[in-house]
Amino acid sequence: MKLSSWNVNSLKVRLPQVVDWLKLNQPDVLCLQETKLQDAHFPVDEIAEIGYHAIFSGQKTYNGVALLSKVNTDTDYCTALPGLNDPQKRLIAATCNDIRVICIYVPNGERVDSEKYSYKLEWLKALTSFLQEERKRHSKIALLGDFNIAPTSSDVYDPPAWEGKVLCSAPEREAFQQLLATGLVDSFRLFTQPPGTYTWWDYRMMSFRRNHGLRIDHILISAEMAHSCTRCWVDIAPRKLERPSDHAPITAELSL
DNA sequence: ATGGCCAGCATCGCTGGA
């Protein structure tokens, strides 16, 4: 079972890249963030043509998530965090085979002194409560997506420059630990990884060429599944293409 | 030394991302 996640920054622009990437990599599930598409415009047919079923929760201009799957996926999926009256489309959860797959697009947070930052922390708190509930019904959980949090200084190209800034602040990192505390592990850190592995690079300042990146996209899996995780890696190939997303896809392989 | 982009929506500048 291969589970992947990719913030595509507009599925309209990136659809050809997503189709090519799926053909080449053949994950069982691909979670997408920032589709920026209303549901009526979702490219269901193009995705079906290459053997994937799509469920999605989108809106105009901003946000939007989708879950593409080759394996049996329930039709009774979830698209909102309970207890949070939020018009922003940032979550989609479904059971794929017997794994509860939760695709998330965590709010960016703008700046630590902003209202968007408070909303981010609130959203993360609601997500933690949701996970505690999900855990009661599902033993195998995978939480994938754009977390907009670099968990440690090892996940940042220039830790002093990012100290205390949004994506790296202590409350955000604490919120990340709270997610883990619901019984999840960071699949990426189950393995020795090349130093300087990131998932996002700013479009400006030649950041990708200089590998000035952050690791803010993650795949967390139930601690009970850790032993069956055989690999986790970031594929930077799509970031090298013409008109790339600013994020690279991440994949975890499970021997299930 | 500084600052550099990109997508969408609606125009010919803004919002938002991270």
Side-chain angles (χ1 to χ4, degrees):
Chain A
M1 185 93 166
K2 267 167 84 174
L3 305 175
S4 303
S5 176
W6 192 4
N7 179 325
V8 289
N9 183 19
S10 166
L11 185 56
K12 186 182 171 188
V13 173
R14 235 65 69 188
L15 182 61
Q17 293 185 21
V18 170
V19 166
D20 287 349
W21 193 84
L22 283 172
K23 284 182 185 167
L24 188 63
N25 293 278
Q26 296 290 320
D28 295 281
V29 176
L30 173 61
C31 296
L32 299 176
Q33 301 85 35
E34 285 204 86
T35 54
K36 300 185 178 179
L37 285 177
Q38 287 172 293
D39 290 349
H41 301 144
F42 198 91
V44 176
D45 296 341
E46 291 89 333
I47 298 292
E49 249 172 56
I50 54 167
Y52 285 84
H53 174 68
I55 57 174
F56 39 83
S57 176
Q59 66 186 94
K60 198 176 176 180
T61 312
Y62 303 119
N63 310 312
V65 286
L67 196 158
L68 314 184
S69 177
K70 283 205 291 188
V71 300
N72 182 41
T73 300
D74 62 352
T75 47
D76 183 27
Y77 55 89
C78 162
T79 61
L81 283 175
L84 203 70
N85 189 16
D86 188 0
Q88 301 191 29
K89 306 301 188 187
R90 297 182 174 277
L91 178 142
I92 187 160
T95 307
C96 305
N97 283 349
D98 61 340
I99 299 182
R100 188 63 171 170
V101 178
I102 305 168
C103 167
I104 58 167
Y105 174 46
V106 176
N108 164 277
E110 193 184 18
R111 292 184 322 273
V112 293
D113 59 356
S114 70
E115 269 188 31
K116 287 177 186 167
Y117 182 80
S118 310
Y119 163 62
K120 179 179 194 173
L121 294 181
E122 256 186 63
W123 198 93
L124 286 163
K125 198 175 168 187
L127 176 64
T128 303
S129 302
F130 175 66
L131 283 166
Q132 287 164 348
E133 290 304 309
E134 288 285 276
R135 199 178 157 68
K136 293 175 187 170
R137 289 183 288 131
H138 305 278
S139 59
K140 295 175 183 167
I141 294 176
L143 177 67
L144 305 83
D146 178 357
F147 288 60
N148 271 316
I149 301 171
T152 72
S153 58
S154 314
D155 304 310
V156 182
Y157 73 95
D158 184 356
W162 282 84
E163 176 80 40
K165 299 249 171 66
V166 75
L167 314 185
C168 300
S169 72
E172 290 166 272
R173 286 177 169 171
E174 175 56 28
F176 187 83
Q177 293 305 315
Q178 290 301 313
L179 295 175
L180 294 177
T182 68
L184 304 172
V185 292
D186 181 350
S187 61
F188 183 81
R189 290 298 177 207
L190 293 173
F191 307 96
T192 305
Q193 299 287 355
T197 301
Y198 306 120
T199 65
W200 171 83
W201 303 260
D202 199 306
Y203 281 123
R204 298 167 292 184
M205 299 171 279
M206 294 186 293
S207 295
F208 182 67
R209 280 174 55 93
R210 301 195 285 179
N211 198 30
H212 286 185
L214 301 178
R215 192 176 70 94
I216 56 177
D217 300 83
H218 308 293
I219 301 178
L220 310 189
I221 57 172
S222 299
E224 304 95 292
M225 287 201 296
H227 69 279
S228 59
C229 186
T230 50
R231 208 181 152 207
C232 178
W233 71 97
V234 176
D235 181 9
I236 63 168
R239 189 65 176 80
K240 299 175 180 172
L241 299 170
E242 289 292 315
R243 276 193 104 180
S245 167
D246 44 357
H247 294 253
I250 177 171
T251 301
E253 197 163 52
L254 303 168
S255 60
L256 292 173

